């Protein structure tokens, strides 16, 4: 059997040997020893520790943004640091979790089965590796501990408008760290879609249950509901007389606006801000309903003496919501929502605005030039990035943004207050003498169970209210129905306790006639 041997010599191209007869002219090359390949990507506990360091860096950046740009007190950073330390203490660095916890999955507690409820309770006890949205939840709980009058809607707006670190937060991780992280950890620090309503609420609700577990027992205070309620009324341009009504109703129902305990079934109305907003909407429906029925107060001192013009309010709200998209602009935070089909309908300025955002968010030109497998610099120079006339996006200026928002809100408030109309006052003696039925404030109360039940002004108001607390419209309706059910129970107990009231009157409250 003939074999071919490679013999080293001064001329490696041709070899002549007695044993290699017939191989003249054949090219042979000396084999190089295979170099041992060492993976640069960490695995196991080492990868987990690096991921937690990257997550901690993002959390620090968010705290820094909130303090420097949004004016939060400096002790906020220490509070967030303490919350993260408690979380970190419960993560076993000796083993790597194979699955990442995703708080971004939409959870609907009011429709979950018992098995799903038990699974959420199990996750609240274990709470494995954090996801990116948990950083926003941690910051929000830090604000709650400091009793800051900041709503969940504020955090949601700052995140999707990129006023704090969130969208593609992985780009702020140093390249040396990213190159050593496995793909599933990098994906956990990235955003694949826009931040939706309910996402942060679900994360906050689960994280609050985690801190309430038996081996931590961190008691979270109630939200600063007096100041938050004032903000809600002001942002929705409502009459201030609703404020004491909401406070009294909350006291009647014994709602203290604290986070629920882990041993209770989670309802939407148990979330503090959802309960507060539901009470506000109920008060609006009592004193300023969305129908056309005439109602009369007994005196000028009664709440609801001034009537809202909801059609005018609706138009003003639309103008206020579109202030960021004037002159055909996309608006900050809307770039990530652009779909393939919508891209063909963008104007020239909108295309420039979108590409500027895309370059800032996704393109890392410096990494492409420095990476050993990157494109040649001569090729990159043939396709320069950036607009020839400079970026069309204005740099974020927190003070100017706040001033502009305040001026827009003041204009809306003045316009709504100028449209309020005085209702006709009909005292009880005049109503009895006329022999006609006089509708009082609170009569013909309408209970909306589905979105389809809302007329246009009512839907616009409910959507604006839901946006303030970063939940969707359906979730807000569920919270309102739950609070209304509690009010029915309170009224039923009152009727049973009063003299001369039979069970028939109390039972009539259970009839689903669309009124409270």
């Amino acid at each position: 059997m003939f074999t071919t041997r490679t013999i080293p010599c001064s001329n490696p191209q041709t070899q002549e040997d007695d044993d290699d007869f017939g191989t003249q002219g054949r090219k042979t090359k000396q084999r190089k020893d295979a170099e041992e390949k060492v993976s640069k990507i960490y695995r196991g506990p080492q990868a987990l520790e690096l991921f937690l360091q990257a997550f901690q860096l993002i959390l620090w950046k968010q705290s820094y943004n909130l303090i420097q740009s949004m004016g939060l007190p400096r002790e906020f950073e220490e509070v967030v640091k303490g919350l993260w330390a408690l979380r970190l203490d419960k993560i076993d660095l000796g083993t790597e979790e194979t699955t990442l916890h995703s708080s971004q999955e939409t959870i609907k507690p009011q429709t979950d089965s018992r098995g799903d409820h038990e699974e959420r309770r199990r996750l609240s006890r274990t709470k494995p590796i954090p996801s990116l949205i948990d950083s926003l939840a941690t910051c929000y709980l830090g604000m709650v501990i400091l009793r800051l009058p900041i709503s969940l809607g504020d955090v949601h707006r700052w995140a999707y408008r990129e006023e704090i670190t969130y969208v593609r937060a992985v780009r702020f991780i140093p390249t040396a760290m990213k190159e050593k992280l496995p793909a599933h950890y990098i994906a956990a620090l990235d955003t694949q879609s826009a931040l939706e309503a309910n996402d942060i609420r679900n994360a906050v609700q689960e994280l609050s249950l985690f801190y309430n577990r038996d081996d931590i027992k961190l008691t979270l205070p109630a939200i600063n509901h007096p100041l938050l309620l004032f903000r809600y009324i002001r942002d929705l341009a409502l009459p201030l007389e609703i404020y004491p009504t909401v406070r009294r109703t909350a006291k009647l129902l014994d709602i203290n606006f604290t986070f629920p305990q882990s041993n209770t079934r989670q309802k939407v109305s148990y979330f503090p801000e959802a309960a507060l907003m539901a009470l506000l909407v109920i008060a609006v429906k009592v004193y300023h309903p969305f129908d056309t029925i005439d109602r009369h107060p007994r005196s000028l001192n009664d709440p609801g003496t001034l009537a809202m013009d909801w059609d005018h309010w609706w138009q003003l709200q639309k103008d206020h919501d579109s202030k960021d998209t004037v002159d055909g602009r996309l608006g900050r935070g809307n770039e990530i929502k652009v779909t393939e089909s919508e891209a063909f309908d963008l104007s020239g300025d909108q295309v420039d605005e979108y590409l500027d955002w895309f370059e800032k968010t996704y393109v890392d030109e410096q990494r492409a030039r420095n990476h050993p497998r990157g494109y040649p610099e001569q090729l990159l120079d043939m396709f320069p990035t950036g607009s020839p006339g400079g970026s069309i996006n204005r740099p974020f200026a927190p003070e100017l943004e706040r001033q502009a928002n305040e001026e827009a809100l003041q204009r809306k408030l003045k316009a709504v207050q100028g449209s309020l109309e005085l209702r006709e006052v009909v005292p009880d003696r005049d109503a009895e003498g006329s022999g006609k039925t006089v509708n009082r404030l609170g009569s013909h109360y309408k209970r909306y169970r589905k979105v389809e039940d809302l007329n246009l002004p009512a839907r616009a108001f409910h959507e604006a209210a839901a946006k303030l607390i970063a939940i969707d419209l359906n979730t807000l309706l569920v919270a309102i129905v739950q609070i209304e059910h509690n009010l029915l129970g309170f009224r039923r107990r009152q009727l049973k306790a009063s003299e001369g009231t039979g069970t028939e009157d109390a039972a009539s409250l259970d009839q689903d006639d669309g009124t409270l």
Side-chain angles (χ1 to χ4, degrees):
M1 183 175 181
F2 296 95
T3 60
T4 303
R5 295 182 293 123
T6 302
I7 301 176
C9 68
S10 58
N11 184 7
Q13 293 184 357
T14 60
Q15 295 293 331
E16 295 183 2
D17 198 322
D18 295 340
D19 296 333
D20 294 333
F21 179 78
T23 61
Q24 185 174 0
R26 180 180 298 178
K27 295 182 179 179
T28 61
K29 293 184 179 179
Q30 184 176 6
R31 295 182 179 179
K32 296 182 179 179
D33 295 336
E35 297 180 358
E36 182 182 359
K37 294 183 178 179
V38 179
S39 175
K40 295 182 179 180
I41 299 178
Y42 288 170
R43 302 293 180 186
Q46 194 176 18
L48 174 58
E49 184 176 358
L50 184 62
F51 167 78
L52 294 175
Q53 291 174 359
F55 182 88
Q56 181 172 303
L57 176 61
I58 293 175
L59 191 60
W60 175 82
K61 284 182 173 292
Q62 291 173 343
S63 303
Y64 181 83
N65 294 151
L66 290 168
I67 294 173
Q68 298 297 322
S69 300
M70 304 305 165
L72 269 63
R74 294 200 172 274
E75 55 264 31
F76 173 74
E77 183 178 349
E78 293 299 322
V79 173
V80 172
K81 181 180 178 180
L83 290 173
W84 172 240
L86 289 174
R87 177 77 177 276
L88 197 60
D89 185 58
K90 301 304 176 183
I91 298 178
D92 185 7
L93 295 179
T95 59
E96 180 187 12
E97 296 284 349
T98 57
T99 57
L100 292 175
H101 176 72
S102 177
S103 299
Q104 300 188 34
E105 296 178 0
T106 303
I107 296 177
K108 299 180 180 179
Q110 68 278 4
T111 59
D112 284 342
S113 64
R114 182 174 180 83
D116 294 335
H117 176 61
E118 293 299 326
E119 176 66 12
R120 286 200 315 278
R121 291 184 62 184
R122 184 189 67 80
L123 284 176
S124 68
R125 291 192 297 267
T126 56
K127 197 64 176 175
I129 302 172
S131 59
L132 180 59
I133 200 171
D134 289 332
S135 62
L136 297 179
T138 304
C139 290
Y140 176 76
L141 291 180
M143 300 171 192
V144 171
I145 292 175
L146 291 177
R147 303 275 293 165
L148 300 176
I150 297 176
S151 71
L152 201 61
D154 294 329
V155 179
H156 181 270
R157 185 180 68 256
W158 293 338
Y160 83 80
R161 285 172 57 90
E162 300 185 50
E163 297 175 10
I164 60 176
T165 303
Y166 179 75
V167 176
R168 297 222 69 236
V170 69
R171 59 190 157 126
F172 298 103
I173 303 301
T175 304
M177 295 179 68
K178 284 189 290 187
E179 289 178 345
K180 295 179 175 60
L181 281 174
H184 61 282
Y185 281 137
I186 294 179
L189 300 175
D190 203 352
T191 50
Q192 304 299 328
S193 60
L195 186 62
E196 299 293 341
N198 281 338
D199 287 346
I200 306 182
R201 181 189 69 84
N202 291 332
V204 170
Q205 192 161 336
E206 292 180 9
L207 199 57
S208 66
L209 294 177
F210 168 79
Y211 285 120
N212 191 56
R213 45 191 274 185
D214 294 336
D215 55 345
I216 297 180
K217 278 300 180 183
L218 174 64
T219 302
L220 295 170
I223 61 174
N224 195 342
H225 56 278
L227 292 183
L228 280 175
L229 177 59
F230 177 76
R231 282 198 56 197
Y232 295 163
I233 294 175
R234 188 170 180 267
D235 290 344
L236 293 172
L238 298 173
L240 193 57
E241 59 193 16
I242 293 179
Y243 183 92
T245 302
V246 176
R247 297 291 303 274
R248 286 196 302 268
T249 307
K251 187 175 181 180
L252 288 176
L253 298 180
D254 196 24
I255 299 176
N256 54 14
F257 305 105
T258 57
F259 288 90
Q261 304 298 312
S262 58
N263 58 351
T264 59
R265 182 175 180 270
Q266 303 304 309
K267 292 184 178 180
V268 177
S269 59
Y270 289 173
F271 190 75
E273 286 201 62
L276 183 60
M277 184 59 75
L279 289 170
L280 175 60
V281 174
I282 290 173
V284 170
K285 290 163 63 178
V286 169
Y287 293 115
H288 304 281
F290 301 98
D291 53 33
T292 57
I293 300 175
D294 290 330
R295 296 172 178 84
H296 304 279
R298 291 180 172 83
S299 68
L300 291 175
N301 295 326
D302 290 350
T305 304
L306 297 175
M308 292 278 295
D309 184 352
W310 284 114
D311 290 330
H312 186 58
W313 181 94
W314 179 29
Q315 185 60 47
L316 291 172
Q317 185 65 32
K318 286 195 297 184
D319 296 339
H320 182 77
D321 291 339
S322 61
K323 66 180 185 299
D324 292 335
T325 57
V326 294
D327 302 329
R329 296 179 61 87
L330 276 177
R332 183 186 292 272
N334 294 326
E335 300 92 347
I336 197 173
K337 301 178 182 179
V338 176
T339 62
E340 294 87 346
S341 58
E342 294 173 345
F344 291 99
D345 299 327
L346 298 179
S347 64
D349 287 343
Q350 288 176 337
V351 170
D352 289 340
E353 188 177 355
Y354 177 80
L355 291 179
D356 286 342
W357 170 83
F358 190 91
E359 178 187 352
K360 179 190 70 173
T361 308
Y362 287 93
V363 177
D364 190 352
E365 185 176 357
Q366 190 63 32
R367 181 174 181 271
R369 292 181 182 273
N370 296 336
H371 198 277
R373 294 185 179 180
Y375 296 104
E377 186 171 352
Q378 294 84 352
L379 183 60
L380 292 176
D381 291 338
M382 294 174 61
F383 301 95
T385 58
S387 301
S391 175
I392 195 174
N393 289 322
R394 293 168 296 182
F396 174 60
E399 291 296 334
L400 295 178
E401 290 273 352
R402 282 195 288 267
Q403 183 178 354
N405 290 335
E406 180 65 24
E407 292 175 354
L409 181 58
Q410 288 292 339
R411 289 194 298 268
K412 185 177 74 170
L413 283 170
K414 291 180 181 179
V416 171
Q417 291 174 357
S419 65
L420 295 176
E421 298 178 355
L422 183 65
R423 286 192 173 104
E424 181 184 0
V425 177
V426 180
D428 288 334
R429 62 178 182 273
D430 294 344
E432 295 173 358
S434 64
K436 298 180 180 179
T437 302
V438 177
N439 296 318
R440 296 300 184 183
L441 297 175
S443 62
H444 301 282
Y445 180 90
K446 181 67 176 177
R447 298 173 67 186
Y448 302 108
R449 297 182 180 273
K450 299 180 296 183
V451 176
E452 293 75 14
D453 298 337
L454 301 169
N455 58 31
L456 292 179
R459 177 163 184 164
F461 173 78
H462 283 73
E463 287 177 345
K467 186 178 180 180
L468 285 179
I469 58 174
I471 64 176
D472 59 31
L473 180 56
N474 285 300
T475 304
L476 177 61
L477 289 179
V478 170
I480 294 171
V481 169
Q482 291 173 354
I483 297 294
E484 288 173 342
H485 180 75
N486 294 341
L487 283 170
L488 282 173
F490 173 80
R491 185 182 173 192
R492 188 182 301 111
R493 292 189 295 270
Q494 275 191 324
L495 289 176
K496 288 182 178 180
S498 61
E499 287 186 356
T501 301
T503 57
E504 182 178 355
D505 293 335
S508 65
L509 293 175
D510 294 328
Q511 298 177 2
D512 189 10
D513 57 356
T515 60
L516 181 63

